[in-house]
């Protein structure tokens, strides 16, 4: 069994820069923490895959300026719960797609 890189309590599976409705350019996925959380809670491979995909989707959405959600089953929920999000397939609700459709052109205009 491989030793986890960081066996501290799981505080954050990832971090990202965020400004509402604005594209930013920094995001870090803590794969060591994701693997540790999945090992600690005995997630099966399918759950681990969902958790990784949802964590990545959450960070991408933040860097595209999408805000937090109060809906517990939304990947943008403020307290991204790896036990819940390991059971969900990632998806983009229409409202979030519309927000991205506004933020991305604004970023392009400002940077290209």
């Amino acid at each position: 069994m491989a030793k986890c890189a960081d066996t501290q309590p799981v505080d954050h599976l990832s971090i990202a820069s965020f400004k509402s409705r604005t594209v930013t350019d920094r995001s870090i996925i803590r794969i060591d923490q994701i693997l540790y959380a999945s090992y600690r809670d005995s997630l099966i491979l399918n759950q681990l895959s969902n958790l990784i995909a949802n964590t990545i989707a959450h960070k991408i959405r933040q860097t595209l300026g999408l805000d937090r959600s109060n809906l517990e089953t939304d990947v943008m929920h403020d307290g991204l719960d790896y036990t819940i999000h390991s059971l969900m397939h990632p998806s983009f609700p229409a409202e979030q797609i519309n927000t991205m459709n506004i933020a991305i052109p604004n970023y392009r205009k400002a940077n290209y």
Side-chain angles (χ1 to χ4, degrees):
M1 173 82 42
K3 185 175 180 186
C4 295
D6 186 351
T7 56
Q8 307 253 336
V10 177
D11 292 322
H12 298 332
L13 302 180
S14 58
I15 56 174
S17 56
F18 173 74
K19 184 174 180 185
S20 184
R21 299 183 179 269
T22 304
V23 175
T24 59
D25 62 355
R26 300 281 186 269
S27 183
I28 298 170
I29 306 297
R30 294 284 315 269
I31 197 70
D32 61 325
Q33 289 289 19
I34 293 170
L35 292 172
Y36 176 65
S38 71
Y39 171 76
R40 185 185 64 200
D41 287 353
S42 302
L43 300 183
I44 61 173
L45 182 59
N46 189 37
Q47 289 175 302
L48 174 58
S49 296
N50 286 343
L51 181 59
I52 291 169
N54 280 314
T55 303
I56 292 168
H58 181 91
K59 289 302 124 185
I60 289 170
R61 291 173 190 189
Q62 278 187 321
T63 58
L64 292 173
L66 302 180
D67 213 341
R68 303 281 184 164
S69 169
N70 292 325
L71 183 61
E72 191 173 272
T73 56
D74 185 344
V75 74
M76 291 307 293
H77 184 260
D78 190 26
L80 181 68
D81 183 333
Y82 59 89
T83 56
I84 291 172
H85 290 95
S86 69
L87 300 173
M88 298 175 8
H89 295 288
S91 65
F92 281 82
E95 178 185 330
Q96 292 178 351
I97 291 172
N98 292 336
T99 300
M100 287 186 291
N101 289 339
I102 294 167
I104 292 169
N106 291 339
Y107 179 82
R108 285 182 176 163
K109 274 193 269 183
N111 293 284
Y112 299 107

